[in-house]
Amino acid sequence: MANKKLFEPYKIKDLTLKNRIVMAPMCMYSCENEDGMAGDWHYTHYTSRAVGQVGLIITEATAVTPQGRISPQDLGIWSDEHVEGLSKLVQMMKAHGAATGIQLAHAGRKAVLEGEILAPSAIAFNGDMKTPKEMTDEDIQETIQAFKEGAVRAKKAGFDVIELHGAHGYLINEFLSPLTNKRTDTYGGSPENRYRFLQEIIEAVKEVWDGPLFVRVSARDYHPEGLDVEDYVSMAKWMKEQGVDLIDVSSGAVVPAQIPVYPGYQVKPAEAIKHGADVPTGAVGLITTGIQAEEILQNDRADLIFLARELLRDPYWPRTAAKELRVDIEPPKQYERGWL
């Protein structure tokens, strides 16, 4: 093994990842009966990336309530019935040496579902989407409890990592941003109040979960009156104090906006949060080559490399990156003849 950081093990609490390559959560919209159950697509899709030698695989946004789904085809974890399918998925991924994570999520006002949808304030995402109901205190407490129960089920299913979805304009993100949170109670107004919903979710989850805990954030709202990286440096300090182990740094999607996209466009925010809050971060966003990933790690800009679309194109990307970086990695036994 050459001294390439991308293929060095990485330890978080009692979990050691075999390398620093993470499959980022990506919605698959593939539950066949609108019941949130894992099925054949999920088993094939995720297990193939484990065979491909990804170090940590984080499954797609998994809804903690039925109304918290982005679409009717989303994975769910709102009932004990979901545990069996997720447990099978975990076992299949672990059989090939991958660590496993689950992203617990609530879509908030971006849910495209029948019936009532919820948000901190009754503002639609755009002219084509439904106006949400402003959450009552009771709604808020029920949702926090749903995240806690989701964490209990994630533990039962055997996941190694929980990630809370606080990005991309979904419910937690909607509370954090002043563009979407116009509340005048204890959950709105000041930065501390807007953070309170996430704070209470983290507290509730940590009552039942002592494994690695990540939070995904959108570090830029791309709007002059929205949040930017320095705001998230402050919030990342609060998350670190609460025992969050890593911030997965994405950006955008809380309001419609023009986002300038280019290779590594979200690495700078990951770097700023890592050093500004002294907390480990994951970098994501148009990272496509081993050399690019290695640069990010060697220059101490982030601690883990989260790949999304590149792993859709190439389930065996770790092999591709290893060849590029001239690192020998152990192939799956069944593929030795082809991987040499």
Side-chain angles (χ1 to χ4, degrees), residues 117-310:
I117 61 171
L118 299 176
S121 300
I123 310 164
F125 178 73
N126 62 26
D128 299 326
M129 292 179 77
K130 198 183 291 186
T131 300
K133 173 199 160 196
E134 180 170 315
M135 291 171 80
T136 63
D137 267 355
E138 188 182 358
D139 293 328
I140 288 171
Q141 295 312 314
E142 282 175 2
T143 306
I144 292 166
Q145 182 64 23
F147 272 95
K148 183 177 181 177
E149 289 169 9
V152 170
R153 294 183 187 112
K155 190 173 182 175
K156 278 185 189 156
F159 284 100
D160 299 305
V161 172
I162 286 176
E163 176 170 281
L164 302 175
H165 197 352
H168 301 158
Y170 300 121
L171 188 64
I172 293 171
N173 193 183
E174 290 163 23
F175 271 90
L176 295 175
S177 176
L179 299 173
T180 42
N181 182 348
K182 306 294 185 186
R183 300 176 75 94
T184 54
D185 62 0
T186 55
Y187 291 96
S190 68
E192 291 80 3
N193 280 2
R194 294 196 311 273
Y195 179 75
R196 192 181 310 278
F197 181 60
L198 174 55
Q199 177 187 338
E200 292 180 358
I201 289 172
I202 294 168
E203 284 169 4
V205 165
K206 285 191 73 68
E207 284 174 23
V208 296
W209 175 263
D210 55 7
L213 181 63
F214 297 0
V215 177
R216 174 164 265 200
V217 300
S218 278
R220 285 199 167 116
D221 287 353
Y222 299 103
H223 187 287
E225 289 153 39
L227 299 178
D228 213 330
V229 180
E230 58 273 13
D231 301 296
Y232 276 95
V233 169
S234 301
M235 284 191 275
K237 289 176 183 173
W238 299 339
M239 290 181 221
K240 183 188 175 186
E241 279 171 28
Q242 285 194 265
V244 169
D245 298 291
L246 181 137
I247 314 291
D248 168 9
V249 184
S250 188
S251 70
V254 73
V255 292
Q258 286 294 113
I259 300 175
V261 174
Y262 49 87
Y265 71 106
Q266 292 168 159
V267 174
K268 266 193 168 176
E271 183 176 14
I273 290 169
K274 173 177 165 61
H275 295 290
D278 190 26
V279 65
T281 60
V284 65
L286 288 190
I287 300 168
T288 56
T289 69
I291 288 170
Q292 185 188 7
E294 189 66 19
E295 180 276 320
I296 292 163
L297 296 170
Q298 290 286 0
N299 283 319
D300 200 27
R301 306 177 75 191
D303 299 271
L304 294 176
I305 301 298
F306 283 64
L307 295 174
R309 278 167 284 189
E310 196 58 29

Side-chain angles (χ1 to χ4, degrees), residues 4-17:
K4 297 294 189 219
K5 272 199 142 174
L6 188 62
F7 291 97
E8 282 179 3
Y10 185 74
K11 196 167 191 298
I12 322 158
K13 289 194 165 157
D14 294 332
L15 176 69
T16 301
L17 309 180

